[in-house]
Amino acid sequence: MVVVPGALAGPSDAGRGSAPPRALLIDRQPLFLAALGSLLASPPLNADVLVTTKSNEALEIAGTRDVDLVLCDVRAEPVAAAELPAMLAGRLPGLRVILLADQEDEPLLLNALQCGAAGFFTKDTPVAEFLEGVAAVVSGHFTVGRGLLRQVLAMMSGDAEVPPKTELKRLTTAELGILRMVGRAESVKKIAQQRGISQKTVRNHLASIYRKLAVRNRTEAMLWAARMGLAQPET
């Protein structure tokens, strides 16, 4: 799993303090809703769970209840899942949205990467990783399931327009090495450990990479690396 610290952090007074989060779940399948609700209501999250099978009903609930987190199937109807983050933000500033998808719906998650959601996971994500990701989102971070990210990057590297190679010449040797690791979904901590530098130095390199490549965040840098063929595992 990749966590981008504070990428979508909202107002400091968002949420309900130290109380367990209130989560609103949206999915077309009642059985999945029941299983997911039970998981989130149990430790370590102990969430107060609300459920609905319709995305328009979720908007109504968000208008009348204090909700901290929305977990929504990417095929939610009748309001498209990719439209929900912006619509919900107008009702509850600071509310976080996580989009979920079956494996065959990964392209829909790719198309929704810039919709304003704070987390993206496929439904086959390991439970421990998923719960860690949900907790990170509740804390104000941006998360992408590791398995999903690898497949999305592979798809992007084959289908997307390739950026000009002249862009690579702007990067130093160290920055290029770090970009390769970012493309493989390595965490800041792991990059620092493998390169023998501090996490602060890694973040400084990332800031320089973003500026030189004209990308806004780590997710866009990952996609850029994939399109350039830099995300391949080392042999």
Side-chain angles (χ1 to χ4, degrees):
M1 179 183 65
V2 173
V3 177
V4 181
L8 293 177
S12 59
D13 59 349
R16 298 182 297 129
S18 59
R22 177 169 290 142
L24 173 58
L25 315 183
I26 311 166
D27 197 277
R28 300 159 295 157
Q29 302 175 10
L31 186 59
F32 177 78
L33 276 178
L36 181 59
S38 178
L39 176 66
L40 296 179
S42 302
L45 290 174
N46 298 310
D48 179 10
V49 176
L50 306 170
V51 301
T52 179
T53 58
K54 300 291 186 181
S55 50
N56 60 330
E57 293 177 359
L59 291 172
E60 295 176 4
I61 293 172
T64 59
R65 304 286 296 273
D66 288 333
V67 177
D68 305 305
L69 177 69
V70 171
L71 294 95
C72 180
D73 180 78
V74 75
R75 286 190 177 273
E77 296 177 343
V79 179
E83 298 176 4
L84 277 178
M87 299 177 72
L88 289 168
R91 301 173 186 233
L92 287 173
L95 180 146
R96 319 289 179 195
V97 177
I98 293 176
L99 295 185
L100 306 173
D102 296 322
Q103 277 192 316
E104 60 267 26
D105 288 334
E106 287 172 2
L108 297 180
L109 283 182
L110 171 63
N111 292 336
L113 277 176
Q114 301 300 326
C115 75
F120 301 85
F121 293 91
T122 51
K123 293 179 181 179
D124 62 345
T125 300
V127 171
E129 177 185 338
F130 175 70
L131 290 175
E132 182 182 354
V134 172
V137 169
V138 170
S139 297
H141 307 313
F142 179 97
T143 64
V144 178
R146 188 178 183 90
L148 167 67
L149 183 61
R150 289 182 182 276
Q151 296 178 37
V152 168
L153 291 177
M155 180 173 60
M156 286 295 292
S157 65
D159 296 341
E161 180 181 353
V162 178
K165 291 187 177 181
T166 53
E167 301 285 352
L168 290 177
K169 296 180 180 179
R170 300 179 183 178
L171 303 181
T172 66
T173 301
E175 290 169 349
L176 181 58
I178 289 174
L179 179 61
R180 289 181 184 275
M181 299 181 77
V182 168
R184 296 195 297 271
E186 304 291 1
S187 67
V188 169
K189 181 178 180 180
K190 187 170 183 179
I191 293 173
Q193 290 174 341
Q194 291 192 4
R195 300 189 70 86
I197 57 180
S198 69
Q199 294 185 42
K200 180 179 180 181
T201 300
V202 173
R203 293 190 180 95
N204 289 339
H205 280 306
L206 288 174
S208 178
I209 291 169
Y210 299 165
R211 184 178 65 256
K212 291 179 180 180
L213 300 183
V215 298
R216 292 173 293 180
N217 52 48
R218 186 170 175 177
T219 300
E220 290 187 3
M222 292 172 186
L223 297 176
W224 198 100
R227 293 196 294 270
M228 289 299 297
L230 301 178
Q232 301 301 320
E234 293 182 342
T235 57

